[in-house]
Amino acid sequence: MCGIVGVVGLQDCAETLLDSLKRLEYRGYDSSGIVTRAAEGFVMNRAVGKLGALSATMRDRPLSGRSGLGHTRWATHGGVSERNAHPHIANNKVAIVHNGIIENHAALRDELRAAGHEFASETDSEVLAHLFLAAFDQGMSAQEAGAAVLSQIEGTFALAAMHVDHPDMMIVARNASPLAIGLGDGASFVGSDAIALAPLTRNVIYLKDNDFAIVTPDSAQIFDAAGVSVHREVVIVAASQGMVDKGGFRHFMEKEIHEQPDAIAHTLAAMTGTDGTLSTPLSRDDLQAIDGIVMLAAGTSHYAAMVARYWIEALARVPVSCEIASEYRYRKPVTGAFTTAIAISQSGESLDTLMAMRHAGEAGLRTVGLVNVPESTIAREASLVMPTRAGPEIGVASTKAFIAQLTALICFAAALAEARGSIDAQRRDEIHEHIRGLPSIIGRTLGLFDDIRPLAHSLTTARSALYLGRDVLFPVAMEGALKLKELSYIHAEGFASGEMKHGPIALIEEGLPVIALLAADEVMGKAASNLQEASARGARIILVTEERAAHVVDFADQVITVPNVDPLLAPLLLTVPVQILAYLTAFEKGTDVDQPRNLAKSVTVE
Ligand code: F6R
């Protein structure tokens, strides 16, 4: 949700700002802009649309200067237009970029207007520029101005501000939205995440909520909300420069689908102890003390939680509640039955999930962060981290991170079950062995691209599609529907197949595509009957199943098969064809696969 970057003390910094924005475009791509402090004062380029538009403007009108700010926007307050694009400049003296929402912006704007300030945009962010302007105009120092502005604003923010009279200085601050300060050699940087800073420096400071900092080419002085100087650790991040390369694929999503065998293998390695058995970051005593688990997540990560509920309840006999993070955080949940909250997030930055995790922590639950980005806010705030090792996921639609989440969660379920005595060590090791075989089986499913292409082509003209699954495949059906709708803008819903007859079956009409997920499990016969009911009413059944189960639905119109696996692992395997179907449908339709409309990769606003 908006990416921000800043540089102080680097010759011709505009190019570096643009390059860093490319690494942050996953956070939003409604508009973008760069301001630098040139000899004549602030100079700025802004453009509506993806970063390519700004790059073209920068070629036509290069910006000089050693310090500057950049922003890529996901619109919240104010429509998508150039005047609402960041940076915002107040009176040619203060330039700011902001990620988050200033909740009291209307009241602040009224006060500032009454004091003579004139606004150029409809954004909440522009008040920040005017608040800094007012502070500096009153003769405050940078430190005083930082404290004064922070004391007036409510909401979530990562911000960076510059004053024209202090060309080699930036004031930055954060609350709930992520912000990293990078310390380089003779220059300093800020960015929404370490990926933005990857080629510039690995020495990073993460601010705590309500901290602000004064950043110069060779220092970062940090203050807490009260304006008291504080020390924050410099961490060495593992981010590497090559992480945003498409590696010869047409899209990041295509590349990331192909990286799934590695994502499983690396995540499994992180969940395997030195003795070679399944292991978790929780000790055996910790596992035995778990009486109930709340899973907190959003979107695709929520579907991973829902799959895990079937596994954990079946294997470990521990109750699990799966909560949509944005709902949970404002509920007054009854937590008595639960001892542990697992926050699941690829980015580790989804504000809803972060807040839900804090809510659970305040209610006395032990918090575990299942995250893919080790330097993320959820990773830093959770009492324990369970890592997924999918590597950086750039495509906005999550693929390999979901598979890695499932891998970590099935490992966790088996380890928990063994620690609690509901399965023995032999069964745990058997499950481990099956997971070990997954990378090569999933590797084989990647050969399905050619089989699925004609099917994807036929879906491009569909107005709607249904995804059906039963038991542990129900969440996979919802994940398949989410992938199709977000990438190709075709309306799609995922249903529990047994639920169809209670209402949704009314949607079935001649030729409606129904993507049916089926595994050779206990409910296979019942799931097949549900599909029969849809087929009898004219649905076009596209069966996605294991080889050994295909014969059960002999009335299917089209069949995609994957190799047979242990029924526990069917959700991982059957996910791959639905990802490929969504990818190819979007590709055939010509939509922007990696950056679908209205979306952003990391959702750091409410
Ligand atoms: C869909 C998708 C989103 C994310 C959701 C949570 O393809 O990627 O639904 O899963 O925004 O994001 P994280 O996992 O980063 O918290």
Side-chain angles (χ1 to χ4, degrees):
M1 299 287 98
C2 301
I4 70 176
V5 291
V7 174
V8 274
L10 188 72
Q11 203 60 43
D12 295 323
C13 67
E15 216 168 292
T16 300
L17 288 165
L18 186 62
D19 188 55
S20 299
L21 284 182
K22 286 183 191 148
R23 295 166 176 272
L24 286 177
E25 202 180 10
Y26 73 89
R27 300 179 67 86
Y29 34 81
D30 288 332
S31 62
S32 53
I34 288 178
V35 65
T36 57
R37 168 65 167 84
E40 65 270 33
F42 284 132
V43 285
M44 176 165 76
N45 284 332
R46 298 186 293 187
V48 170
K50 302 209 166 132
L51 207 52
L54 181 67
S55 302
T57 313
M58 296 291 286
R59 272 195 301 275
D60 295 345
R61 211 157 62 96
L63 305 179
S64 63
R66 286 164 40 88
S67 301
L69 305 170
H71 189 271
T72 177
R73 180 172 189 241
W74 187 82
T76 56
H77 289 66
V80 177
S81 64
E82 194 173 320
R83 76 191 178 103
N84 287 337
H86 296 218
H88 294 289
I89 300 180
N91 207 20
N92 290 324
K93 286 188 182 167
V94 171
I96 64 100
V97 288
H98 165 230
N99 162 36
I101 293 175
I102 304 299
E103 284 163 9
N104 58 338
H105 72 101
L108 291 170
R109 186 182 275 254
D110 288 348
E111 283 169 30
L112 287 158
R113 268 210 187 105
H117 290 254
E118 285 177 19
F119 287 82
S121 79
E122 304 152 327
T123 65
D124 55 330
S125 311
E126 196 184 356
V127 298
L128 295 169
H130 288 270
L131 288 174
F132 276 109
L133 178 66
F136 279 108
D137 281 356
Q138 282 165 35
M140 289 187 193
S141 67
Q143 184 186 341
E144 287 163 344
V149 172
L150 250 65
S151 70
Q152 295 173 76
I153 56 178
E154 290 162 19
T156 57
F157 49 83
L159 66 88
M162 291 179 63
H163 192 283
V164 75
D165 294 342
H166 304 273
D168 266 355
M169 184 202 73
M170 233 174 352
I171 304 175
V172 302
R174 74 161 287 227
N175 178 36
S177 302
L179 187 77
I181 300 174
L183 303 176
D185 197 8
S188 298
F189 311 94
V190 298
S192 293
D193 63 28
I195 293 182
L197 309 180
L200 304 169
T201 179
R202 292 180 57 206
N203 301 327
V204 166
I205 300 173
Y206 293 102
L207 296 185
K208 294 217 157 111
D209 277 354
N210 291 306
D211 278 355
F212 70 96
I214 296 171
V215 182
T216 64
D218 45 24
S219 71
Q221 245 189 308
I222 301 168
F223 305 91
D224 67 12
V228 176
S229 176
V230 285
H231 173 74
R232 303 285 179 234
E233 199 190 341
V234 178
V235 287
I236 313 293
V237 297
S240 88
Q241 194 166 353
M243 59 178 43
V244 290
D245 187 51
K246 281 191 200 144
F249 289 94
R250 281 170 304 196
H251 298 101
F252 282 111
M253 184 181 178
E254 188 187 17
K255 174 179 172 233
E256 287 159 5
I257 289 174
H258 282 85
E259 286 172 341
Q260 295 187 114
D262 282 350
I264 296 171
H266 294 153
T267 303
L268 181 60
M271 300 291 287
T272 301
T274 44
D275 64 353
T277 61
L278 280 181
S279 140
T280 81
L282 287 86
S283 69
R284 203 172 172 80
D285 285 351
D286 287 341
L287 292 174
Q288 284 167 348
I290 292 179
D291 288 331
I293 299 172
V294 181
M295 302 247 192
L296 307 166
T300 290
S301 298
H302 174 63
Y303 298 141
M306 288 179 69
V307 172
R309 172 166 58 192
Y310 288 88
W311 287 333
I312 294 171
E313 291 190 345
L315 291 172
R317 309 300 298 136
V318 170
V320 176
S321 168
C322 292
E323 304 281 354
I324 293 176
S326 57
E327 289 296 314
Y328 183 83
R329 61 175 293 199
Y330 291 113
R331 278 207 352 244
K332 301 195 172 32
V334 180
T335 54
F338 303 103
T339 50
T340 306
I342 304 184
I344 306 176
S345 176
Q346 185 287 125
S347 60
E349 299 293 353
S350 291
L351 190 65
D352 289 326
T353 308
L354 172 66
M355 292 305 190
M357 184 180 84
R358 286 184 184 168
H359 194 46
E362 281 154 17
L365 275 71
R366 179 167 208 198
T367 54
V368 177
L370 177 59
V371 292
N372 195 44
V373 181
E375 301 89 5
S376 61
T377 310
I378 291 178
R380 283 180 283 119
E381 289 197 14
S383 42
L384 263 178
V385 173
M386 194 147 64
T388 53
R389 295 264 161 82
E393 192 179 63
I394 305 297
V396 163
S398 186
T399 51
K400 62 175 181 171
F402 178 68
I403 287 289
Q405 287 165 348
L406 293 183
T407 305
L409 288 164
I410 183 68
C411 292
F412 173 74
L416 178 67
E418 193 277 326
R420 293 177 56 89
S422 54
I423 63 171
D424 58 20
Q426 194 187 336
R427 175 65 180 138
R428 178 202 59 196
D429 295 345
E430 204 176 87
I431 295 171
H432 192 187
E433 202 47 45
H434 286 308
I435 306 169
R436 253 200 263 270
L438 260 179
S440 86
I441 303 180
I442 296 253
R444 278 191 270 149
T445 62
L446 297 175
L448 286 171
F449 271 78
D450 284 343
D451 293 352
I452 295 177
R453 192 164 280 110
L455 199 56
H457 184 73
S458 73
L459 270 194
T460 54
T461 50
R463 278 183 40 241
S464 187
L466 299 187
Y467 284 70
L468 301 186
R470 218 175 154 133
D471 196 74
V472 74
L473 295 180
F474 163 44
V476 180
M478 289 197 285
E479 168 60 4
L482 177 60
K483 288 280 105 69
L484 188 74
K485 63 186 143 195
E486 70 182 331
L487 291 170
S488 62
Y489 319 144
I490 295 169
H491 173 253
E493 297 298 336
F495 290 112
S497 33
E499 186 66 6
M500 284 297 285
K501 57 188 175 294
H502 297 290
I505 201 164
L507 292 171
I508 304 261
E509 56 189 14
E510 198 59 38
L512 179 83
V514 169
I515 294 95
L517 305 175
L518 192 80
D521 57 15
E522 279 176 13
V523 295
M524 174 172 70
K526 293 192 192 316
S529 305
N530 301 143
L531 296 177
Q532 185 81 69
E533 289 151 14
S535 174
R537 286 159 180 82
R540 172 182 154 213
I541 305 289
I542 300 165
L543 181 68
V544 181
T545 189
E546 295 177 77
E547 278 154 8
R548 64 181 163 191
H551 68 280
V552 180
V553 183
D554 55 6
F555 49 86
D557 297 273
Q558 272 121 353
V559 183
I560 302 167
T561 54
V562 298
N564 301 331
V565 274
D566 183 289
L568 270 181
L569 302 184
L572 286 115
L573 213 57
L574 292 177
T575 292
V576 181
V578 295
Q579 292 171 337
I580 297 173
L581 181 62
Y583 169 74
L584 289 174
T585 306
F587 181 70
E588 292 278 322
K589 267 194 96 169
T591 57
D592 191 335
V593 174
D594 282 332
Q595 295 182 328
R597 70 182 179 205
N598 303 338
L599 294 178
K601 180 76 181 156
S602 176
V603 185
T604 56
V605 295
E606 279 195 65

